[in-house]
Amino acid sequence: MEITLLAFFAVGYFVLAGADLGVGALLPYLGRSDDERGRVLASITPFFLGNEVWLIASAGILVGAFPVLEGELLSGMYVPFVMLLLGWVVRDAGIWLRGRVDRAGWRGGCDGAVATGSWVVVLSWGFILPGMGQESVTGLAAAIVVPAVVALFCAHGLAFAGLRLDGGPRERARRFYGASSERTIYALTSGGMALVCLLAGSRLPLAENLADPATLALLTPSLLVITPVLVASQVWLWRVFGRAPVRSQ
Amino acid sequence: METLDLARLQFALTAGAHFLFVALTLGLATLVAIMQTRATLTGSAVHMRMTRFWGRLYVINYAMGIVTGLVMEFQFGLAWNGLTHFAGNVFGASLAMETLVAFFVESTFLGLWIFGWDRLNRWAHLGVLWVVTLTAYASAYWIMVSNGFLQNPVGAEVAGGVLRLTDAAAVLANPAALTAFGHILCGALLVAGFFVAGVSAHHLRRGTGEQEFFRRSLRIGVFTALPAVMATAALGGAQFDTAQPMKIAVYAGRTEEVARLQAEMVAAHGPGDYVPPAGLVQGSGTAMMILFALMMGVAWLSALLALFPWAVRRLRIWHVVLTAMIPLPFAAMLAGWVFREVGRQPWAVYGLLTTEDALSDLSPGAIRFSLAAFTLLFGLLVAVNTWLLARNARQGPADTAAAPVSAEPLPAPVF
């Protein structure tokens, strides 16, 4: 049950936040002017905080139900995880701060922070995901797997941008779809995200590293009770902000 | 410096930077929730504008609390996997509860509040802010349960080289967690009280428009700060009963007591130095006490002066003092943390696991890199946040009057 919970939250993160990371990484491509980049970011701002907490929840389940594994996993890939955190902080700061000062230079700097930070996060995942269950990826494996993970994030971001934007950014996102609809593409890239997450997770020795039964007897029921509430709060968020796409003025 | 010292410095910087933001966030959320409640119940325009103005400062600050908190959560597994290995069965569970039961809801609802001004009805919007506030409290509670366990490990036993949970109720009601939780909540209200009072005093002194707005705000700040400083001091005093005897003996400079406790520890745990660094413990403890005395004096005086309308309008010297007070509660908070955490050294889990044994097996290069990167980044964030808060606070509520979000279908987070 603990493994199912972990998988649920981890897949939630890669499907939901994977899209806003992809959008962030492709910000310079999707938005060609200050105004366009503002609209591209507006498509993710109400959601990104609610998206990234899925990873925080996953890390919480990992430390609560698999504490020894959490310590070994994070310290074993110390530098990639530190890079992930650095990129994450820089990118979030860019998103939060962009609207705070009404100057083109400030917005440009924040856009740069969002794009750079998103790239660092996506690249870090490129190293972390295939490295799970072993030390780290190097050589040929890294040369194939890392770009593949990065490409998946970008494709997922493009699918989301196609769904949530109009005008120039949407056209630029759609260029890669061929004849398929945005929804089809989004469903496909979401499936890809979920698959990559589950493949990486399946290589972790989870069953061997469960916390003590006395801990799980209390923790697991609490998590099972709270999870529907968490999902409901997220559904509410998406219902309130997710209906209308971001339109140009 | 050794890897151990670098890792400790990194943790201290992360926790310290995080806590600067969190302290204001916790307290300000409460005050903004009360303002919005009043505005929603009575339809008072000035209270709605207060909600928007102080709410904007709250959101600016909240963002920085989140990004530093991310690093905080991963810090244990990254640099202290001896702790997750030894104490994970207890310590990990309360961290897990914090992320799922508190922070997840808090973040989702904060998004609803920031962007939901025009999209939710006013009662739902008010309810959303209260959920954010109460889950922030819950978050603080779970973190203090984790920290309280490290200070005073109850409800668990060592079996096979690791801790196992034996009494969950004892962990949840650990006095080292509960008194500190109360101390911190009141401390957060103290931070917010002096912040609101200090910013308001600045506007009153400068004679900017919005006199009524800031007279009301100043009173809210002052009448929050006074009870908060008294409760914080009381709950701080209560902690001396549950604190480790060694910490207290070192702080009080009782040399014989320190020597006796050291001999006791050696007898129980083998040879070693079990005395925390006296300079830091005494320095931080004394700084906290002096700052409290100052804040207590100013809070009492201010509560008296706030009863006289002429003083609120025109007593410029008092306005200057109030604005100058803004950084003091932050400094007291940090000093309190140093006292609490350094005072329990050399233990990570008191009496059970040393800080040295809690350290992950890290290369000196890796920790140097991360320490330099986080220091640079957090230094920048603290600077940007302080500048933005000051800038927005000085600008006043003028441009928060109009509904800031209705013009755009989905706004950038200007609020």
Side-chain angles (χ1 to χ4, degrees):
Chain A
M1 185 46 74
E2 292 79 11
I3 296 176
T4 312
L5 270 172
L6 178 63
F8 176 70
F9 280 95
V11 166
Y13 169 76
F14 280 99
V15 170
L16 294 171
D20 72 51
L21 282 163
V23 169
L26 295 176
L27 181 62
Y29 167 73
L30 288 169
R32 295 293 165 82
S33 65
D34 183 65
D35 175 58
E36 277 190 350
R37 282 189 292 274
R39 278 191 288 127
V40 172
L41 282 179
S43 72
I44 59 172
T45 33
F47 309 110
F48 83 100
L49 188 57
N51 292 345
E52 67 191 26
V53 288
W54 288 77
L55 179 62
I56 297 172
S58 307
I61 295 171
L62 202 56
V63 75
F66 314 90
V68 175
L69 182 64
E70 195 250 10
E72 280 172 9
L73 184 68
L74 292 190
S75 60
M77 287 196 279
Y78 187 84
V79 173
F81 273 109
V82 166
M83 291 305 295
L84 175 79
L85 289 171
L86 291 169
W88 192 352
V89 171
V90 167
R91 161 196 144 79
D92 277 18
I95 297 177
W96 280 109
L97 296 174
R98 190 182 197 270
R100 295 286 170 217
V101 178
D102 191 15
R103 273 186 220 135
W106 174 271
R107 284 191 294 271
C110 288
D111 290 342
V114 174
T116 314
S118 301
W119 273 104
V120 173
V121 171
V122 167
L123 279 167
S124 302
W125 281 125
F127 281 96
I128 292 169
L129 286 173
M132 289 205 173
Q134 57 187 53
E135 281 297 296
S136 58
V137 275
T138 46
L140 189 63
I144 296 167
V145 176
V146 176
V149 172
V150 171
L152 181 58
F153 272 98
C154 290
H156 196 42
L158 288 174
F160 185 81
L163 275 175
R164 300 284 312 149
L165 290 159
D166 71 353
R170 176 159 178 264
E171 288 315 309
R172 272 166 233 136
R174 273 201 56 87
R175 209 167 283 168
F176 296 88
Y177 296 177
S180 313
S181 75
E182 287 94 342
R183 282 170 190 276
T184 313
I185 298 289
Y186 185 75
L188 281 173
T189 53
S190 298
M193 277 287 168
L195 189 67
V196 164
C197 167
L198 293 174
L199 273 177
S202 69
R203 299 172 65 203
L204 289 175
L206 289 164
E208 300 86 329
N209 279 290
L210 274 169
D212 190 61
T215 303
L216 295 179
L218 289 169
L219 181 64
T220 311
S222 312
L223 300 186
L224 285 173
V225 169
I226 194 74
T227 299
V229 179
L230 305 185
V231 172
S233 71
Q234 289 261 323
V235 169
W236 192 24
L237 181 78
W238 283 90
R239 280 179 60 96
V240 171
F241 302 120
R243 289 221 174 119
V246 181
R247 297 199 188 288
S248 47
Q249 309 281 311
Chain B
M1 278 201 275
E2 286 182 49
T3 310
L4 177 65
D5 297 318
L6 294 171
R8 283 185 62 200
L9 188 59
Q10 177 169 299
F11 194 91
L13 279 172
T14 311
H18 180 53
F19 210 72
L20 280 178
F21 301 117
V22 170
L24 181 59
T25 300
L26 261 182
L28 207 50
T30 317
L31 296 186
V32 174
I34 291 169
M35 290 169 190
Q36 190 173 354
T37 305
R38 182 124 184 229
T40 309
L41 285 175
T42 64
S44 149
V46 67
H47 284 95
M48 189 44 85
R49 295 181 66 230
M50 282 161 71
T51 307
R52 296 225 181 217
F53 174 69
W54 297 109
R56 172 154 62 166
L57 299 180
Y58 161 69
V59 170
I60 291 173
N61 191 66
Y62 188 104
M64 298 299 119
I66 290 184
V67 294
T68 48
L70 302 174
V71 182
M72 200 59 212
E73 195 204 4
F74 287 83
Q75 201 54 214
F76 297 107
L78 280 170
W80 305 100
N81 71 9
L83 186 64
T84 45
H85 191 273
F86 174 73
N89 284 323
V90 187
F91 183 73
S94 51
L95 288 181
M97 293 296 281
E98 193 271 335
T99 60
L100 276 106
V101 177
F103 187 68
F104 196 104
V105 179
E106 188 186 347
S107 292
T108 309
F109 275 65
L110 184 76
L112 280 162
W113 189 71
I114 296 176
F115 300 104
W117 281 91
D118 294 334
R119 290 169 183 249
L120 300 173
N121 85 47
R122 62 197 177 107
W123 294 101
H125 193 246
L126 174 66
V128 162
L129 181 58
W130 274 108
V131 171
V132 173
T133 307
L134 295 177
T135 47
Y137 283 24
S139 185
Y141 167 75
W142 286 110
I143 292 300
M144 291 322 297
V145 167
S146 309
N147 178 273
F149 182 78
L150 303 183
Q151 300 281 342
N152 177 32
V154 291
E157 62 176 19
V158 183
V162 296
L163 280 169
R164 288 183 206 291
L165 184 69
T166 52
D167 184 356
V171 176
L172 299 181
N174 187 348
L178 294 183
T179 47
F181 172 59
H183 182 63
I184 279 168
L185 281 193
C186 297
L189 283 168
L190 179 59
V191 170
F194 273 120
F195 180 80
V196 170
V199 171
S200 304
H202 171 83
H203 282 273
L204 293 170
R205 181 168 63 88
R206 285 291 170 87
T208 57
E210 309 290 352
Q211 291 291 299
E212 190 208 349
F213 181 103
F214 284 113
R215 283 201 299 270
R216 281 177 185 272
S217 296
L218 181 136
R219 285 195 202 98
I220 291 175
V222 164
F223 291 124
T224 303
L226 179 62
V229 73
M230 292 197 296
T232 310
L235 287 160
Q239 288 181 75
F240 275 79
D241 303 336
T242 56
Q244 301 90 16
M246 181 66 101
K247 183 189 290 177
I248 305 304
V250 169
Y251 171 65
R254 289 197 286 265
T255 325
E256 286 161 29
E257 175 84 350
V258 170
R260 189 182 64 76
L261 290 166
Q262 161 72 12
E264 252 178 39
M265 287 277 195
V266 169
H269 306 288
D273 181 5
Y274 297 98
V275 185
L280 261 179
V281 173
Q282 289 172 347
S284 58
T286 310
M288 180 175 69
M289 296 298 179
I290 292 172
L291 288 165
F292 261 121
L294 255 172
M295 289 188 287
M296 183 80 94
V298 174
W300 270 109
L301 187 71
S302 298
L304 282 176
L305 287 171
L307 298 173
F308 300 97
W310 63 267
V312 176
R313 277 169 215 269
R314 287 192 290 274
L315 191 55
R316 296 168 67 92
I317 178 79
W318 177 41
H319 294 157
V320 173
V321 170
L322 273 180
T323 306
M325 288 299 286
I326 292 175
L328 264 61
F330 288 100
M333 276 272 186
L334 288 186
W337 270 110
V338 171
F339 180 63
R340 183 175 172 91
E341 300 301 304
V342 174
R344 97 180 116 118
Q345 296 305 318
W347 298 104
V349 186
Y350 196 72
L352 295 173
L353 179 76
T354 62
T355 309
E356 193 172 0
D357 290 336
L359 185 68
S360 305
D361 183 19
L362 296 176
S363 76
I367 190 87
R368 280 207 179 88
F369 158 70
S370 60
L371 176 62
F374 286 132
T375 306
L376 196 71
L377 191 54
F378 289 164
L380 196 65
L381 287 179
V382 171
V384 169
N385 188 61
T386 310
W387 175 69
L388 276 177
L389 279 179
R391 190 172 181 268
N392 279 275
R394 267 201 301 269
Q395 276 172 356
D399 58 346
T400 45
V405 291
S406 54
E408 288 178 65
L410 271 176
V414 284
F415 178 77

